Amino acid sequence: EKEAMSVDESAAVVNAINAEAAGASSPGASSISLPPNRFELELEFVQSLASPAYLHYLATSGILYQSTFLDFLRYLRYWKQPQYAKYLSYPHCLYFLDLLVPPSSDPDTDDGNENNNGGAADEKRKNETHTTTSGADSGEAFRREMAQVSFRNFVHEQQFYSWQFRSARLYGSSGAKE
């Protein structure tokens, strides 16, 4: 039931983005059907978030600041579930997804913690007030910094060091030791 709701929300976001791009005045002006290869399209898009150059493009073009796009990124959080994450070739894209739209920035989402009702309402109120006072918790700081070329280069460099370290740990040192 919750999955079907997410699909409906996704369709609404896609309709809103298409209507905004087409310049339509009403969001229901165009009826859009979801493509049959939707899984592959969303997989490809989520993995594109692993590229600092692409994130820089999104930040400089202003797309990262559109509420409909941020809603779409929130919808894509389902890729963090193991049954979907196993298809990712670049799992660090999920880390960038959390930086762009942190789970704490969306007070309407529990992220699967439905069994913890002890202080859920208090925690939700705390997150709402903290989100409104702190731009860092809403992902705003990361989105703003990604527009800077120096930060994009820094993120890319750190990614390189991470992959270099991972490669050395998995396959051994590249230097020949005798």
Side-chain angles (χ1 to χ4, degrees):
E1 183 177 352
K2 189 173 184 178
E3 187 67 29
M5 201 167 76
S6 296
V7 170
D8 292 341
E9 290 173 3
S10 171
V13 168
V14 169
N15 284 336
I17 289 173
N18 286 337
E20 193 174 54
S25 58
S26 65
S30 65
S31 177
I32 187 168
S33 63
L34 298 173
N37 62 342
R38 179 175 166 202
F39 179 82
E40 291 87 1
L41 293 172
E42 289 180 0
L43 173 64
E44 184 178 346
F45 179 76
V46 166
Q47 292 191 112
S48 70
L49 297 177
S51 169
Y54 184 61
L55 293 177
H56 174 75
Y57 164 75
L58 291 174
T60 55
S61 65
I63 295 172
L64 278 183
Y65 303 102
Q66 295 176 359
S67 62
T68 52
F69 186 74
L70 293 176
D71 288 341
F72 181 65
L73 290 178
R74 284 184 190 94
Y75 158 73
L76 290 176
R77 285 188 196 145
Y78 77 87
W79 283 96
K80 294 171 67 175
Q81 298 171 7
Q83 67 263 29
Y84 298 107
K86 68 182 179 183
Y87 296 106
L88 296 171
S89 298
Y90 305 105
H92 60 284
C93 65
L94 299 176
Y95 179 72
F96 286 122
L97 183 61
D98 279 345
L99 288 173
L100 292 168
V101 284
S104 64
S105 72
D106 189 13
D108 296 336
T109 303
D110 291 341
D111 283 341
N113 296 332
E114 297 167 353
N115 296 333
N116 186 10
N117 292 332
D122 294 336
E123 187 66 28
K124 188 181 277 192
R125 264 186 261 114
K126 179 181 162 189
N127 282 341
E128 287 174 349
T129 57
H130 187 64
T131 300
T132 57
T133 59
S134 172
D137 285 339
S138 66
E140 178 65 31
F142 181 74
R143 293 191 299 266
R144 186 177 54 248
E145 288 297 319
M146 275 312 294
Q148 305 299 322
V149 174
S150 59
F151 188 72
R152 178 203 65 190
N153 291 342
F154 172 75
V155 171
H156 188 273
E157 184 179 281
Q158 294 305 308
Q159 230 179 14
F160 169 75
Y161 291 143
S162 174
W163 282 103
Q164 191 176 38
F165 176 77
R166 181 179 182 274
S167 177
R169 295 278 314 256
L170 288 176
Y171 307 112
S173 172
S174 61
K177 294 182 182 179
E178 292 184 26

